[in-house]
Amino acid sequence: MTNDATPPPRSEAREAHPEHLGHVIFIAASAAMGGFLFGYDSSVINGAVEAIRHRYEVGSGTLAQVIAIALIGCAIGAATAGRIADRIGRINCMRIAAVLFTASAIGSALPFALWDLAMWRCIGGFAIGMASVIGPAYIAEVAPPAYRGRLGSFQQAAIVIGIAVSQLVNYGILNAADGDQRGKLLGLEAWQLMLGVMVIPAVLYGMLSFVIPESPRYLISVGRKDKARQVLAEVEGTEVDLDARVAEIDERMRREHKPSFKDLLGGRFWFLPIVWVGIGLSMFQQLVGINVAFYYSTTLWQSVGIDPEGSFFYSFTTSIINIIGTVIAMIFVDRIGRRPLALIGSCGMAIALAVEAWAFSAPLVDGKLPTTEGTTALIAAHVFVLFFALSWGVVVWVFLGEMFPNRIRAAALGVAASAQWIANWAITASFPSLADWNLSGTYVIYACFAVLSIPFVLKFVKETKGKALEEMG
């Protein structure tokens, strides 16, 4: 039986090495600034949770909804960013996100009611959702294949640095306010200042969007081939046959049409199989409970007897571990591949979460965990974050930027990222109630998801290391 379909040629882009790698790194780092804001905005609320509870006198359920409502905005932003980027370009999409981040920072710092705070947090969430899609998509489209894994890792590196910086800023502001989250600084309560500082990186993100080039694939899609050729020369080098590269991309895009939600449908399971794999990767990344460590860690540690300044400090050290793990992943993602890192991380997370579950099962003595269990819980929490960061934290973003065929990439990435935010919302909104029910049992649930991610990767996830984007699908 013959197959009339001609396999795609092996692209010479595989061997592309730009003359000015530093410039390519700058472009990727600038785009990843959206990831920094993603991490900062997601985690900065950690330092304000208890202050918001006391200022507005709300219970755990209402408080969880205020914290989690940003994730609804994230899901909407992620679902729509692909279409927006395909219509007006990747760079304009970044600029819109920068404006929304800035507005959210100012509004969240100056709320006049709880609903007002929730609204600004939701607007910030929309910007996060956009950044979660456009960052990895843009980097994947401008990065030479030989460096794409490492450059794609910039998104997660920026996220974890944003998380760490937010915790460091929170810790510094708390100390300046004499350990009182509602202490006055510059005419505001400390927690308001924590949320408002984000205006600085938001403005910087907007400025950087004016000095980096548009994606060559978007430029070709709107007929600007000369400009696309210039950008390809910048990022892949002049030794590559630029006319052939433009023709290769153009030919692919001529055989394709603008991605839409309809393009993702097929088969008896509604979505195409590759889309379900992306959704699965996104959901497992969140269902292991990683964002509990970044949204609720100060509240969690205080609930088992650690003082406020100590809880802020441990939130910061967890963020440093997060950065270390991300650096490890960036070193190895193009050397040993995406799948091996994911499997290593799943095993490590499952063990660490199980140990945390054991530690939290101990009865409190005078409102504190016993010394042995308390120390074990702290160590296990850091180990969990380390294994997440060196694996799923990075490889999921790299996979989502690479794994989809060109014709559906933006739309599929949007759906997968939207699913990620929905899972994130489910974990974030449910944690306070689950913790009140049984903190140990909650961590058993997270450990089970870590275990289930192992057969998922083994059966459904294919390695994308070293392949050109035009070869996907």
Side-chain angles (χ1 to χ4, degrees), residues 10 34 71 78 120 164 167 179 235 267 274 288 340 401:
R10 179 183 175 88
L71 302 173
W120 290 113
Q167 298 310 304
V235 299
I274 190 66
V288 295

Short mmCIF file of all heavy atoms in Angstrom, two decimals, residues 10 34 71 78 120 164 167 179 235 267 274 288 340 401:
data_model
loop_
_atom_site.label_atom_id
_atom_site.label_comp_id
_atom_site.label_asym_id
_atom_site.label_seq_id
_atom_site.Cartn_x
_atom_site.Cartn_y
_atom_site.Cartn_z
N ARG A 10 13.85 17.44 5.77
CA ARG A 10 14.63 17.77 6.95
C ARG A 10 15.14 19.20 6.80
O ARG A 10 15.92 19.50 5.91
CB ARG A 10 15.80 16.79 7.10
CG ARG A 10 16.69 17.08 8.32
CD ARG A 10 17.87 16.12 8.33
NE ARG A 10 18.79 16.44 9.39
CZ ARG A 10 18.73 15.99 10.63
NH1 ARG A 10 17.72 15.21 10.96
NH2 ARG A 10 19.62 16.32 11.53
N GLY A 34 7.06 38.74 30.11
CA GLY A 34 5.66 38.42 30.42
C GLY A 34 5.57 37.29 31.41
O GLY A 34 4.68 37.26 32.27
N LEU A 71 -7.57 33.59 38.43
CA LEU A 71 -7.35 32.45 37.55
C LEU A 71 -8.46 32.30 36.51
O LEU A 71 -8.23 31.73 35.45
CB LEU A 71 -7.21 31.18 38.38
CG LEU A 71 -6.07 31.25 39.41
CD1 LEU A 71 -6.09 30.03 40.32
CD2 LEU A 71 -4.73 31.37 38.72
N ALA A 78 -5.93 33.21 28.31
CA ALA A 78 -5.23 32.14 27.59
C ALA A 78 -6.04 31.63 26.41
O ALA A 78 -5.50 31.33 25.34
CB ALA A 78 -4.92 30.99 28.55
N TRP A 120 -9.85 43.88 39.85
CA TRP A 120 -8.51 44.20 39.37
C TRP A 120 -7.64 42.96 39.30
O TRP A 120 -6.81 42.82 38.39
CB TRP A 120 -7.86 45.26 40.25
CG TRP A 120 -8.50 46.60 40.10
CD1 TRP A 120 -9.22 47.29 41.05
CD2 TRP A 120 -8.51 47.42 38.93
NE1 TRP A 120 -9.68 48.47 40.54
CE2 TRP A 120 -9.25 48.59 39.23
CE3 TRP A 120 -7.97 47.29 37.65
CZ2 TRP A 120 -9.46 49.61 38.32
CZ3 TRP A 120 -8.18 48.31 36.73
CH2 TRP A 120 -8.90 49.45 37.06
N ALA A 164 10.16 34.56 42.95
CA ALA A 164 11.16 34.84 43.97
C ALA A 164 11.25 36.33 44.29
O ALA A 164 11.32 36.73 45.46
CB ALA A 164 12.53 34.33 43.52
N GLN A 167 8.36 37.46 46.41
CA GLN A 167 8.50 37.06 47.81
C GLN A 167 9.57 37.89 48.52
O GLN A 167 9.44 38.21 49.71
CB GLN A 167 8.83 35.57 47.90
CG GLN A 167 7.77 34.65 47.34
CD GLN A 167 6.38 34.95 47.88
OE1 GLN A 167 6.15 34.95 49.09
NE2 GLN A 167 5.45 35.23 46.98
N GLY A 179 6.89 43.93 60.59
CA GLY A 179 6.24 42.62 60.65
C GLY A 179 4.73 42.66 60.60
O GLY A 179 4.07 41.63 60.76
N VAL A 235 17.98 35.83 13.83
CA VAL A 235 17.84 34.76 14.82
C VAL A 235 18.39 33.41 14.38
O VAL A 235 18.68 32.56 15.23
CB VAL A 235 16.35 34.60 15.24
CG1 VAL A 235 15.84 35.88 15.86
CG2 VAL A 235 15.48 34.18 14.06
N GLY A 267 -12.51 13.39 15.56
CA GLY A 267 -12.57 12.08 16.22
C GLY A 267 -13.71 11.99 17.21
O GLY A 267 -14.50 12.90 17.42
N ILE A 274 -3.72 15.11 19.83
CA ILE A 274 -2.58 15.92 20.24
C ILE A 274 -3.02 17.06 21.16
O ILE A 274 -2.28 17.48 22.06
CB ILE A 274 -1.82 16.47 19.00
CG1 ILE A 274 -0.49 17.11 19.42
CG2 ILE A 274 -2.67 17.46 18.24
CD1 ILE A 274 0.50 16.15 20.00
N VAL A 288 -0.78 18.67 40.79
CA VAL A 288 0.13 18.22 41.85
C VAL A 288 0.19 19.24 42.99
O VAL A 288 0.83 19.01 44.01
CB VAL A 288 1.56 17.97 41.32
CG1 VAL A 288 1.56 16.82 40.33
CG2 VAL A 288 2.15 19.23 40.68
N PRO A 340 12.34 12.46 29.60
CA PRO A 340 13.07 11.97 30.78
C PRO A 340 12.99 12.93 31.97
O PRO A 340 12.82 12.48 33.12
CB PRO A 340 14.50 11.83 30.27
CG PRO A 340 14.36 11.61 28.80
CD PRO A 340 13.19 12.45 28.39
N GLY A 401 4.99 24.87 23.47
CA GLY A 401 5.49 25.72 22.40
C GLY A 401 5.92 24.96 21.17
O GLY A 401 6.03 25.52 20.08
#
